[in-house]
Amino acid sequence: MTRHVSLLYRGPLSSCNYDCSYCPFAKRHETAAQLQQDRAALERFVDWATAHRESQLSLFFTPWGEALTRRWYQTAVQQLTHRAHIRKIVVQTNLSWATPWLNECRTERLALWCTYHPSEVSRHAFLAACRELRRRGIRHSVGMVARPEDFAEIESLRRLLPASTYLWLNAWDTGDGRKYEYSPQQRDRLTAVDPYFEINTRDYPSAGQDCQTGRSVFSINGDGRVRRCHFVSEDLGNLYAEDWRFPVDSAACPNSTCGCHIGYVHLPVLNLQPVFGSGVLERIPLAYSDHLPASADFQVSGKTYG
Ligand code: SF4
Ligand code: SF4
């Protein structure tokens, strides 16, 4: 049976069109030369993924900043969705771009992890973008940072999204690297929106734990450097080296804790496979993955759309 690996790609891009107060990439601009470097790195990765036939691939773009406003990421996604050995492409995005480029994608192989930033875009506009994804049959999750000042907005978004769209909530990082301490009442309120919210409120002790990263999940940098995950600095090799082969086994986690969905979800001890199934990268739990029926109602600002 052909082996399957998931690759989390993060090139040098580190800029964004949004200005979120909680983000180091807010309104960060890059020079033409820096953007060209990112483009060249991405195109090299696409060439590699296109030619690689030894494994089935799932690819997850996890940029620093926003990638899908850049034409070269749109082109990469278009191309990769047409490769039979690539099961799916997942991208983290703020959904701030126009959608015609999606016409050239095999949309059943595309999934989006969409984050709503209420200081940067109106609820109406964000929901309209979600509605367009739904119309096109593109699987997606929607998420927000659970800052106390946004609780009412979180609840409004939940009310207006289709029940079959998962709205995930990330525990707020208060800026000192620690997660905000929610009161029991706040936890109850947020769990009513996201039944899996509690999972994200913890930093899991991971030192010495078995983790699927390094054997079925890998992090890839723009220069081809391979690591087991985005959070462990040790290099495993270079994707573009002649003799590169994905390892079949991995050592225990060397870090003390793991607190991010894209990391801890690969810890077998947390037993999250039954929760997310094949939607682990795009963060769509099995309980929501039957979404996208064309006839489902979708409400925006009180109006109902078929
Ligand atoms: S949209 Fe994302 S990358 Fe851009 S500023 Fe906001 S949090 Fe940062
Ligand atoms: S537990 Fe987290 S930090 Fe440790 S190897 Fe796995 S993904 Fe990386």
Side-chain angles (χ1 to χ4, degrees):
M1 197 170 74
T2 309
R3 190 175 172 197
H4 171 253
V5 294
S6 296
L7 304 181
L8 278 59
Y9 177 84
R10 179 177 285 159
L13 187 83
S14 52
S15 55
C16 187
N17 55 330
Y18 277 6
D19 195 20
C20 306
S21 60
Y22 40 76
C23 179
F25 307 105
K27 284 284 182 198
R28 194 166 179 279
H29 295 284
E30 291 176 282
T31 64
Q34 288 171 319
L35 292 173
Q36 180 52 39
Q37 188 192 3
D38 181 70
R39 178 177 185 157
L42 179 67
E43 289 175 351
R44 189 178 189 194
F45 178 68
V46 170
D47 287 347
W48 175 89
T50 301
H52 179 84
R53 297 302 168 93
E54 291 158 35
S55 335
Q56 293 265 311
L57 301 174
S58 290
L59 305 178
F60 187 13
F61 292 163
T62 59
W64 294 129
E66 176 59 36
L68 287 180
T69 51
R70 307 290 181 187
R71 179 66 200 159
W72 53 96
Y73 280 91
Q74 296 175 0
T75 301
V77 171
Q78 287 169 337
Q79 292 175 354
L80 292 168
T81 59
H82 290 277
R83 305 291 173 236
H85 65 293
I86 299 179
R87 286 190 192 172
K88 68 171 137 183
I89 322 293
V90 181
V91 190
Q92 291 180 326
T93 178
N94 62 20
L95 269 193
S96 61
W97 28 269
T99 55
W101 67 274
L102 293 170
N103 294 340
E104 306 305 318
C105 294
R106 280 193 66 159
T107 50
E108 73 274 19
R109 295 193 187 148
L110 175 61
L112 297 174
W113 158 313
C114 311
T115 310
Y116 171 48
H117 303 283
S119 64
E120 305 304 302
V121 61
S122 73
R123 188 198 313 152
H124 179 87
F126 184 81
L127 284 166
C130 294
R131 186 176 76 240
E132 176 64 7
L133 296 184
R134 192 173 177 83
R135 188 185 71 76
R136 290 174 177 271
I138 296 174
R139 287 163 43 83
H140 58 284
S141 65
V142 168
M144 289 182 70
V145 179
R147 296 190 306 169
E149 60 263 49
D150 289 330
F151 282 7
E153 187 62 29
I154 286 168
E155 289 165 336
S156 296
L157 188 69
R158 178 62 279 172
R159 272 196 304 277
L160 293 168
L161 281 168
S164 54
T165 297
Y166 178 47
L167 172 56
W168 50 260
L169 298 174
N170 270 354
W172 182 36
D173 180 337
T174 52
D176 55 4
R178 277 183 301 192
K179 293 183 175 181
Y180 179 77
E181 285 285 335
Y182 295 92
S183 69
Q185 294 78 9
Q186 288 175 320
R187 285 172 186 266
D188 287 348
R189 194 171 165 186
L190 295 171
T191 300
V193 170
D194 172 6
Y196 305 110
F197 173 64
E198 279 291 331
I199 296 172
N200 191 260
T201 60
R202 297 177 206 149
D203 289 318
Y204 295 97
S206 56
Q209 291 287 351
D210 179 39
C211 177
Q212 293 170 43
T213 63
R215 56 179 189 261
S216 60
V217 182
F218 298 87
S219 157
I220 312 295
N221 279 23
D223 60 6
R225 199 156 57 97
V226 182
R227 291 174 297 147
R228 62 183 302 162
C229 68
H230 287 338
F231 316 106
V232 172
S233 56
E234 182 201 352
D235 285 358
L236 298 177
N238 193 290
L239 194 68
Y240 307 130
E242 284 273 316
D243 59 350
W244 168 256
R245 296 288 179 278
F246 290 108
V248 293
D249 208 355
S250 55
C253 173
N255 286 10
S256 56
T257 60
C258 189
C260 188
H261 172 93
I262 63 174
Y264 63 62
V265 78
H266 303 297
L267 277 169
V269 71
L270 298 186
N271 200 27
L272 294 176
Q273 173 66 25
V275 174
F276 289 98
S278 63
V280 79
L281 298 182
E282 57 270 45
R283 203 171 176 174
I284 303 178
L286 283 173
Y288 295 78
S289 59
D290 61 346
H291 71 282
L292 298 177
S295 61
D297 286 347
F298 190 96
Q299 292 195 336
V300 176
S301 297
K303 294 179 187 160
T304 299
Y305 297 80

